[in-house]
Amino acid sequence: MPLTPASRHLRRWACVLPLLVLVAGACSPGHYPQTTLRPLSDFARIGDDIQNNTLYWATGVFVLVEGALLYAIFRFRGRPDDPEPSQVHGNTVIEIIWTVIPALILAAIAVPTVRGIFQTNAIPTGDVLRVDVVGHQWWWEFRYPTLNLTTANELHIPVGQTVSLHLGSADVIHSFWPPRFAGKRDVFPNRETRLWFKAERAGEYPGQCAEFCGIQHARMAFRVRAQSPAEFQTWVAHMQTLGTKPAAAAPARDSVHTASAGATVRSDPQAAPPAGPTDPAYAAGEKLFAAKGCVGCHSLTAVNAPKGLVGPNLANVGARTYIAAGTLKNTDENLAHWIRDPQGIKKGVLMPNLGVTADEARSLVAFLRAHQ
Amino acid sequence: MATTALDQQRAHAAAGHEPTGLWSWITTVDHKRIGILYGATAFTFFLMGGIEALLLRIQLGTPNNTFLSPETYNELFTMHGTTMIFLAIMPLSAAFFNFIIPLQIGARDVAFPRLNAFSYWVFLLGGLFLNASWLFGAAPDTGWFGYANLTSKQYSPGLHVDFWMLGLQTLGVASLAAAVNFFTTVLNMRAPGMKLMRMPIFTWMSFITQVLLLLAFPVITVALILLMFDRFFGTNFYVPTAGGDPLLWQHLFWIFGHPEVYILILPAFGIVSEVLPVFARKPLFGYAAMVFSGIFIAFLAFGVWAHHMFATGMGPIADTYFSLATMLIAIPTGVKIFNWLGTVWGGSIQYKTPMYFALAFVAMFIIGGLSGVMHGSPPADLQQTDTYFVVAHFHYVMFGGSIFGLAAGAYYWWPKMFGRMLDERLGKLHFWLMLIGFNLTFFPMHILGLNGMPRRVYTYPEGLGFEELNLLETISAFLLAASFAVFLYNIIKTWRGPRNAPADPWNAATLEWTIPSPPQEWNFAEIPVVHGRDPLWEAKREHGGPLPEPPKVSGAGIHMPNPSYWPLVTALGLSAMMSGLMLIHHLGPWGIIAGGAILLFGVFNWAFEPAG
Amino acid sequence: MDAHATSAEPERSHPSVGVYVRIGLVLFVLTALEVGLYEFTYGGHAGPAGAAIQPFFVPLLLLLSAGKFALVAMFYMHLKQDHRLFTGVFVFPLIIATVLILGLVVLEAYHFAFARAG
Amino acid sequence: MTDTAHAGHLETATGLDNRKLAIWTFIGSECLFFASLISNYLVHKETWLTGPGPFPHEAWTSPAGKVFEPIIEIPLVTLGTALLLFSSLFVVLALANAQRGNRKGLLLWLGLTLLCGVFFVGMQVYEFTHFVHKGLTLKTNLFGGSFFVLTGFHGTHVTIGVIWLFTLWIEAFRGKIPPAKSLNLEIAALYWHFVDVVWVVIFPVVYLIK
């Protein structure tokens, strides 16, 4: 079929245009919830400003030098029979110039860098909330020593208040990385490292372990849930009530504000209200939780939670967005699947397959779902 | 049988014939043959590392992919890094050191020909040892950086880390022996008149590389010894629960690791600095500046190691020092790039395949260098480190830099090494596929990294936006692989053709082009006398045009070192010791003792054997 | 450092046996001084004066040891008479080695102090 | 033992012998090897979390009340140090004799060097055994680990030196080290001196400084 030039043109664009849209989309930070390019805290802004400054200089240098190279490549094409070009061996003045200019550019990068180093290394004072972060193979423990609370894989923080993180590890080296709020800080066994930031906007944001830490390094994610001070207080008050038995009525979880841009809008894990302690499935699950040995590794209390457990604290597991450190969405099916076959889902995880039947899993899910 | 074969060979050599046959390769001490052995072995390992990379890319092509199991992925990424660094790029550079340095400085061989053979055999056996781990289902799986305390017995039971640690230790012996050899060779074996500041720039950069090897490898040797004692003999150097310090591993590793980066790139700098002047038909711009910037880079290499460790929280003073020292490196590197520009500027550029690769090297290296400056700033680096931004950066330096440079060298010196011209059309096809495939594979990694994709993950979830670019990278990786298929085809095709290369096919400037292609066993029938930096250009200018083809001559009267199999025996003893060490809990000390006995036996016979 | 400056190795005049023996004696005396200093500061003979020396103990000891090191390298290893290149090949790594030890000790001391203080 | 591409007598570009330049290069490289081991020792010598604490110089009582005797015996080590220093003197004397073609002097001084070396290794074997009996092993604490690894690798170097010098002694005995081949001994001597100066550093750093 013959094509007119115009339609050929059109067809070519029809191919290229979606590709361009795709590329443009793939290049825009808005496409990436875990991006480092849209900072949401004072700490992250320090690094971002420096990075932008460096990037501008780098882009300038890139354009000039690659431009000169391309120009030379085309301009100085020769033929074998061309006369020999003039044999220049060097030029001291030019060489001094192109030693000094990069030095000046580097100074323009170094000054804000040094300022940023000291800013980010400062120890925060005043009204700070201390959180102790413990990396485990392969999940995160968050302890609030002043509030006497413990939770796992979801870091709740108040907006507008500086959080001071004291980080450590229970086993090997990990790296704590909440990209929207701060850069990485490695966590070591028997050594404390520090990190701080003040969140600017509420929402739920992804974070991840960034240091290779064994077979499931890839599945060691966490969520940062920045909340307005009032919501955070509500959450704290609620958590304070979480002893061995969860409160009969969980707070309305829709009150959590998640509408900000870039945050993952959470899908409500379950449509029906969670089972209470009176539910027979709950009671069966409670028995199984002890009988299957779950209690050996998991605590169900947020207050005065024991230290050094192998598995994450489950006091409010029913309300979390993900299970297994960011591996699966926290739906009833996923939770049941996880309880029955953790080794199939996250091979090498320290939780063994315990031979839980489908029925037992349903009961355990009912029990855990009630822990909000 | 051995002795008679050797005798025959000696008789053969005395008659002026090149020895042939497998035995002649096993006993060879000829630097050119060893260079070819290095090249062939390293290229094979390079292809293996490439296949490993393709498997990794398939796994990462889609989110939550199950093409590879997590442990296989971890083994593959560890072996990909270890292979490319220790078994591909370093020995590919060594292939050029071996083949080219003695020719460029007008020598008949290296300072210690048998030590040279020993280096090669240890390298080969070390590489085989490392890869034998696949057969035992215990390939190393803790990353090429092997951060403690993940490598401790508690967190890495099994043989994975043992293979890695003893394999690297073996390879370190090979590198150190070669470095002593080439350091001595460059200083002592130069032809009359070749002052240091008349040495070809490739020889200069290689010489600096040897200094880095000599000073960096002992440090990793100690780091690995400490790890070995932790794993085999119950010490606690890297065990924090006993008071040990996993951070010490990081310090020692990067004190080695940062110079190692320059060990990988400096030879490529040298190659490109040879190729650009020849094809621009102009001498290298700012020769002295090129030499001194190389020395300065090497010197700074020992003072910047902790910029790999900003995220560990070293405190503001250390951060400031390491950050500023790191930025300083950009100055001599910039000088090099500008001098390369100055070299082609105003030239009469002849577009042959080596020149394509050399120019692309400069273009790609600029990108890698600039992203390097971006990591130099700790507050920004805290976001960049351990993401795909870093993966992009060092692939622009290692692939866009080293591999493009080595490819330029391969096309440039191929006629000298094998007496055959590689096909130009296929060479250019190789180039374009490689350039496009490389950029499409690695440039998007910058974007992914800055947008939050961490390194060393066997998979990533949906919904973080990583899907599109990862798929693009995976497809492009196959394009990149295809470029090497073209290269292989080019080699095979040319191999079948006649030896058609003249002594000086490119109108080059240095001594290796004054002798027949391929060179005869003794390289130079008469040791040349050097009067300047570009001796061949000067000779041609004096002659008023191209020189006549140099005749092949009889080697009668030229005394060359005897072939020897003791280097191989010694290398086997060393490998046996390493294997014995690994099996110490099964064999007791007997494996080590047996290996040690072979080693001693080899050393003594080597020492008392007439060298010729 | 162009090595061509001296095209042939000069006939080296190694020190005489007398010099070797005298150096040996000095080395012995310096070692005795080291041990004596230890005894005087920390050992069985330590008195009140020993306590006064304590702050200078480590620098003094390192100084003595550096002296011995230099004597052996210069006279027994012939660096004093031999080609300067040998000195370069030895001293340059030595400087890097010293800086490395100092750097690592300082960095680790900071880590330990900061980390253990919590 | 010559192994150079220039057969017969050589002129090198620097005028220096290949092997002598190579052994110096190797020694330069070894500086970094020992520097790393010493760094490890300095970082770890006073560290322990499990097991007994360090007890090199002073008696130490564990929290459980067990008393650990001080372990380092300075007189013994001083003897070893002196032996090593004298062996350095002896080996230069051996070399001087070799250069003058005095075979008897060469055999005598080289023999004394060997004796000193053997005694030093013997001292170290005794010391290690003694420490193990007193309860300090590689595993006891980080002082134990870093001490044994540092001094053990030095001892390995001494042992290799003894084997090397012994080989040369046999050669000399068979009359195979004429003045023209004295370089064979000079190279071994350089290695031996280096092993000696490393001990010059280790002795105060490990034994005298607390």
Side-chain angles (χ1 to χ4, degrees):
Chain A
M1 183 184 88
L3 286 168
T4 62
S7 76
R8 204 183 301 146
H9 218 73
L10 209 71
R11 232 170 86 151
R12 193 180 302 155
W13 277 108
C15 293
V16 170
L17 216 64
L19 207 72
L20 277 180
V21 171
L22 190 75
V23 169
C27 291
S28 110
H31 185 63
Y32 301 93
Q34 197 161 290
T35 183
T36 69
L37 299 176
R38 291 187 302 147
L40 287 177
S41 82
D42 44 359
F43 189 103
R45 279 186 201 286
I46 296 171
D48 193 56
D49 289 347
I50 292 173
Q51 181 167 292
N52 285 339
N53 173 43
T54 318
L55 189 60
Y56 294 144
W57 284 109
T59 310
V61 172
F62 173 80
V63 169
L64 280 176
V65 181
E66 298 278 13
L69 182 67
L70 279 174
Y71 174 80
I73 286 172
F74 287 103
R75 169 70 185 72
F76 300 111
R77 273 172 302 174
R79 295 169 175 284
D81 49 353
D82 280 348
E84 193 176 64
S86 102
Q87 302 288 297
V88 184
H89 285 267
N91 183 322
T92 316
V93 179
I94 291 180
E95 286 178 51
I96 290 174
I97 290 173
W98 68 40
T99 310
V100 171
I101 290 180
L104 293 177
I105 294 177
L106 287 170
I109 296 171
V111 171
T113 290
V114 175
R115 198 188 307 132
I117 289 172
F118 279 87
Q119 284 170 347
T120 50
N121 273 286
I123 292 175
T125 51
D127 177 32
V128 295
L129 173 69
R130 173 171 163 170
V131 184
D132 292 348
V133 178
V134 187
H136 295 260
Q137 278 183 329
W138 292 273
W139 59 279
W140 294 94
E141 180 178 358
F142 301 109
R143 304 184 78 99
Y144 299 77
T146 50
L147 305 170
N148 197 18
L149 286 179
T150 299
T151 185
N153 292 336
E154 284 194 3
L155 173 65
H156 288 250
I157 51 167
V159 169
Q161 186 184 7
T162 299
V163 284
S164 172
L165 305 176
H166 293 223
L167 308 102
S169 166
D171 33 57
V172 300
I173 298 175
H174 306 274
S175 195
F176 179 78
W177 185 35
R180 305 297 296 273
F181 298 102
K184 295 161 202 79
R185 187 61 81 199
D186 294 351
V187 306
F188 298 89
N190 273 317
R191 164 168 291 180
E192 187 182 271
T193 46
R194 301 278 189 91
L195 188 65
W196 56 265
F197 57 85
K198 181 154 74 178
E200 292 168 356
R201 185 150 27 124
E204 185 181 326
Y205 306 95
Q208 185 147 4
C209 173
E211 187 59 85
F212 184 68
C213 54
I215 178 172
Q216 284 297 346
H217 164 58
R219 297 294 200 195
M220 193 174 160
F222 59 92
R223 313 292 286 181
V224 179
R225 297 185 60 178
Q227 297 166 311
S228 72
E231 279 164 359
F232 182 73
Q233 283 314 321
T234 315
W235 178 75
V236 168
H238 164 66
M239 290 294 280
Q240 301 280 9
T241 65
L242 296 187
T244 40
K245 303 249 172 190
R253 300 192 329 87
D254 296 4
S255 66
V256 178
H257 171 82
T258 56
S260 53
T264 308
V265 177
R266 53 195 292 122
S267 57
D268 222 358
Q270 71 290 334
T278 49
D279 187 300
Y282 177 97
E286 186 173 23
K287 278 207 195 84
L288 282 166
F289 195 78
K292 290 284 177 188
C294 309
V295 282
C297 300
H298 297 283
S299 166
L300 289 167
T301 62
V303 185
N304 284 328
K307 283 188 180 180
L309 287 184
V310 173
N313 185 298
L314 298 179
N316 64 340
V317 65
R320 291 181 197 153
T321 322
Y322 283 88
I323 53 171
T327 308
L328 297 171
K329 283 254 168 63
N330 190 1
T331 62
D332 285 353
E333 302 84 74
N334 281 342
L335 190 53
H337 187 190
W338 170 253
I339 290 168
R340 297 193 63 197
D341 187 20
Q343 293 299 327
I345 294 168
K346 192 170 168 181
K347 189 172 183 185
V349 72
L350 299 182
M351 178 160 154
N353 283 14
L354 290 164
V356 179
T357 65
D359 280 343
E360 287 170 341
R362 260 194 295 281
S363 305
L364 278 166
V365 168
F367 174 67
L368 291 175
R369 183 64 67 212
H371 286 75
Q372 302 225 344
Chain B
M1 162 239 153
T3 344
T4 49
L6 266 182
D7 286 344
Q8 271 177 8
Q9 234 168 276
R10 285 191 187 122
H12 222 64
H17 293 292
E18 296 257 333
T20 49
L22 184 64
W23 185 248
S24 75
W25 285 88
I26 289 174
T27 59
T28 188
V29 294
D30 179 351
H31 72 97
K32 298 180 289 300
R33 287 185 162 215
I34 294 174
I36 289 169
L37 285 174
Y38 259 112
T41 314
F43 190 65
T44 310
F45 282 129
F46 175 77
L47 294 180
M48 285 173 64
I51 289 168
E52 284 159 7
L54 286 181
L55 294 174
L56 297 176
R57 275 315 325 165
I58 294 174
Q59 164 71 8
L60 291 178
T62 50
N64 294 320
N65 198 355
T66 51
F67 173 70
L68 296 174
S69 69
E71 62 266 55
T72 309
Y73 183 93
N74 293 343
E75 288 175 346
L76 282 169
F77 93 76
T78 302
M79 284 300 283
H80 168 68
T82 310
T83 301
M84 287 306 192
I85 288 165
F86 294 100
L87 303 180
I89 299 182
M90 277 177 76
L92 280 171
S93 304
F96 290 118
F97 301 160
N98 267 287
F99 203 101
I100 303 302
I101 289 179
L103 298 183
Q104 281 202 328
I105 61 176
R108 291 220 167 111
D109 208 320
V110 294
F112 304 102
R114 286 181 299 175
L115 186 65
N116 202 21
F118 173 74
S119 298
Y120 168 71
W121 294 116
V122 175
F123 152 65
L124 174 67
L125 291 169
L128 292 177
F129 181 89
L130 208 50
N131 278 288
S133 60
W134 290 114
L135 305 177
F136 292 85
D141 59 355
T142 51
W144 89 279
F145 46 91
Y147 271 12
N149 56 337
L150 183 62
T151 52
S152 66
K153 205 86 192 163
Q154 182 185 356
Y155 295 106
S156 291
L159 293 175
H160 305 259
V161 176
D162 298 340
F163 269 113
W164 179 75
M165 142 183 114
L166 295 169
L168 285 201
Q169 202 70 286
T170 312
L171 294 169
V173 173
S175 297
L176 275 171
V180 169
N181 201 350
F182 281 99
F183 185 86
T184 312
T185 302
V186 171
L187 281 178
N188 264 1
M189 308 294 280
R190 284 166 291 149
M194 180 165 284
K195 299 179 180 177
L196 286 181
M197 289 309 276
R198 283 181 188 164
M199 283 200 311
I201 195 81
F202 171 70
T203 299
W204 247 119
M205 292 305 125
S206 306
F207 179 66
I208 297 169
T209 306
Q210 309 311 320
V211 177
L212 287 173
L213 283 163
L214 286 166
L215 301 183
F217 264 79
V219 184
I220 186 76
T221 303
V222 168
L224 289 167
I225 284 174
L226 299 181
L227 179 61
M228 184 182 85
F229 271 79
D230 271 9
R231 286 183 66 85
F232 291 162
F233 307 118
T235 55
N236 293 310
F237 298 119
Y238 304 132
V239 181
T241 43
D245 187 11
L247 211 63
L248 181 69
W249 167 270
Q250 294 192 20
H251 279 300
L252 292 175
F253 184 81
W254 289 117
I255 289 171
F256 149 78
H258 199 77
E260 172 70 17
V261 174
Y262 299 123
I263 290 168
L264 297 169
I265 193 71
L266 277 170
F269 281 180
I271 293 171
V272 168
S273 307
E274 294 283 348
V275 170
L276 290 177
V278 167
F279 294 94
R281 299 177 66 194
K282 264 180 79 215
L284 185 66
F285 194 91
Y287 172 90
M290 283 303 230
V291 170
F292 287 112
S293 58
I295 294 175
F296 193 46
I297 288 174
F299 184 75
L300 286 175
F302 284 96
V304 297
W305 77 84
H307 69 209
H308 295 266
M309 299 164 58
F310 285 139
T312 61
M314 293 178 295
I317 311 278
D319 276 8
T320 303
Y321 164 74
F322 283 110
S323 168
L324 296 183
T326 302
M327 289 183 188
L328 269 187
I329 293 189
I331 297 175
T333 314
V335 166
K336 281 199 173 294
I337 288 168
F338 294 132
N339 276 310
W340 287 323
L341 256 178
T343 304
V344 291
W345 201 271
S348 167
I349 302 175
Q350 311 294 308
Y351 280 109
K352 302 283 192 205
T353 311
M355 190 59 165
Y356 276 58
F357 280 102
L359 288 167
F361 165 94
V362 179
M364 296 300 104
F365 190 76
I366 293 170
I367 301 176
L370 288 171
S371 57
V373 173
M374 291 180 68
H375 307 319
S377 183
D381 180 65
L382 290 184
Q383 289 284 19
Q384 297 163 7
T385 187
D386 280 325
T387 68
Y388 265 84
F389 190 74
V390 175
V391 179
H393 159 72
F394 70 73
H395 278 96
Y396 267 84
V397 179
M398 297 287 91
F399 201 118
S402 300
I403 299 286
F404 272 81
L406 289 165
Y411 279 93
Y412 179 58
W413 279 308
W414 196 272
K416 185 50 66 186
M417 295 170 101
F418 301 104
R420 294 173 168 85
M421 305 295 289
L422 283 174
D423 186 282
E424 275 290 309
R425 273 185 32 222
L426 286 172
K428 284 170 186 164
L429 179 64
H430 171 197
F431 169 78
W432 285 113
L433 282 176
M434 186 158 132
L435 186 74
I436 296 168
F438 166 74
N439 278 292
L440 285 179
T441 307
F442 294 106
F443 196 84
M445 291 186 186
H446 289 110
I447 299 164
L448 282 175
L450 288 180
N451 285 305
M453 181 158 169
R455 286 170 83 174
R456 300 159 184 159
V457 289
Y458 70 84
T459 190
Y460 51 89
E462 287 169 56
L464 291 178
F466 302 151
E467 295 88 341
E468 298 88 347
L469 290 182
N470 268 299
L471 185 62
L472 172 68
E473 287 165 10
T474 299
I475 296 167
S476 312
F478 280 89
L479 201 61
L480 191 52
S483 75
F484 282 93
V486 174
F487 182 52
L488 268 180
Y489 175 67
N490 198 346
I491 292 173
I492 295 166
K493 183 180 169 227
T494 322
W495 207 256
R496 296 204 177 128
R499 287 195 172 180
N500 56 354
D504 178 22
W506 313 119
N507 184 17
T510 40
L511 287 178
E512 72 268 31
W513 305 102
T514 62
I515 52 175
S517 303
Q520 290 174 281
E521 197 193 343
W522 40 85
N523 300 349
F524 299 90
E526 236 175 279
I527 297 295
V529 178
V530 179
H531 301 288
R533 241 171 237 168
D534 300 317
L536 182 53
W537 275 353
E538 283 148 29
K540 280 184 273 197
R541 217 163 281 148
E542 228 164 76
H543 187 261
L547 295 176
E549 196 66 15
K552 297 222 173 196
V553 294
S554 145
I558 298 177
H559 197 100
M560 292 305 291
N562 287 334
S564 170
Y565 45 80
W566 294 114
L568 174 57
V569 173
T570 312
L572 283 169
L574 184 78
S575 305
M577 264 180 90
M578 291 295 178
S579 310
L581 204 51
M582 194 165 78
L583 300 172
I584 191 162
H585 295 303
H586 301 282
L587 302 178
W590 300 110
I592 305 172
I593 291 171
I598 301 174
L599 179 77
L600 267 182
F601 180 67
V603 167
F604 273 96
N605 279 289
W606 177 346
F608 290 106
E609 171 188 57
Chain C
M1 63 156 222
D2 195 340
H4 275 274
T6 52
S7 56
E9 195 174 6
E11 199 45 54
R12 283 175 276 104
S13 51
H14 282 173
S16 68
V17 169
V19 175
Y20 286 146
V21 174
R22 261 175 279 154
I23 299 289
L25 282 176
V26 175
L27 289 173
F28 186 74
V29 170
L30 289 179
T31 308
L33 271 176
E34 283 180 347
V35 180
L37 190 65
Y38 174 80
E39 280 295 310
F40 191 65
T41 320
Y42 293 106
H45 306 285
I53 294 183
Q54 274 185 18
F56 308 102
F57 176 70
V58 172
L60 272 175
L61 212 57
L62 291 181
L63 206 69
L64 286 170
S65 148
K68 285 161 70 180
F69 192 106
L71 282 176
V72 175
M74 281 163 64
F75 291 97
Y76 286 177
M77 297 171 95
H78 307 129
L79 281 184
K80 200 160 181 284
Q81 298 89 30
D82 264 359
H83 199 287
R84 281 208 332 273
L85 184 60
F86 293 137
T87 312
V89 167
F90 185 45
V91 172
F92 180 68
L94 206 58
I95 293 170
I96 296 207
T98 315
V99 171
L100 182 128
I101 295 178
L102 291 176
L104 274 178
V105 168
V106 169
L107 284 166
E108 289 284 332
Y110 177 86
H111 276 301
F112 275 91
F114 188 71
R116 298 287 137 92
Chain D
M1 279 169 116
T2 48
D3 185 13
T4 62
H6 288 291
H9 221 71
L10 40 108
E11 329 110 39
T12 60
T14 56
L16 306 172
D17 181 82
N18 276 341
R19 286 179 301 151
K20 196 167 165 187
L21 182 56
I23 193 77
W24 270 113
T25 312
F26 174 71
I27 286 174
S29 181
E30 287 268 278
C31 288
L32 272 292
F33 179 83
F34 280 106
S36 308
L37 283 176
I38 291 173
S39 304
N40 175 54
Y41 172 80
L42 290 175
V43 166
H44 277 143
K45 66 172 181 160
E46 283 180 16
T47 321
W48 77 96
L49 286 179
T50 56
F55 46 108
H57 292 91
E58 287 156 348
W60 183 82
T61 314
S62 75
K66 195 175 171 198
V67 177
F68 291 88
E69 293 294 313
I71 206 159
I72 277 177
E73 291 192 11
I74 292 191
L76 180 75
V77 185
T78 309
L79 178 70
T81 308
L83 283 174
L84 213 50
L85 281 173
F86 281 127
S87 78
S88 251
L89 170 61
F90 297 155
V91 86
V92 278
L93 294 177
L95 178 61
N97 278 292
Q99 283 164 340
R100 266 186 263 116
N102 182 351
R103 184 165 146 255
K104 275 192 178 162
L106 164 59
L107 286 174
L108 170 74
W109 292 117
L110 193 54
L112 282 175
T113 312
L114 272 170
L115 269 183
C116 288
V118 170
F119 271 112
F120 180 85
V121 175
M123 183 279 292
Q124 223 173 19
V125 170
Y126 169 79
E127 185 192 34
F128 281 17
T129 325
H130 175 70
F131 280 15
V132 170
H133 282 153
K134 282 214 166 187
L136 185 77
T137 67
L138 277 171
K139 305 178 187 183
T140 310
N141 55 25
L142 284 156
F143 169 76
S146 52
F147 170 85
F148 282 119
V149 170
L150 171 57
T151 55
F153 269 93
H154 179 264
T156 311
H157 277 75
V158 178
T159 310
I160 292 169
V162 166
I163 296 173
W164 190 351
L165 290 177
F166 182 65
T167 314
L168 289 171
W169 193 87
I170 302 267
E171 285 283 282
F173 186 75
R174 292 162 65 195
K176 289 196 172 172
I177 307 193
K181 283 194 166 186
S182 66
L183 192 73
N184 286 350
L185 178 59
E186 188 173 351
I187 287 163
L190 282 172
Y191 171 83
W192 188 258
H193 292 306
F194 174 71
V195 173
D196 180 28
V197 290
V198 169
W199 188 257
V200 163
V201 177
I202 290 178
F203 176 58
V205 167
V206 172
Y207 291 92
L208 298 184
I209 296 174
K210 296 197 174 193

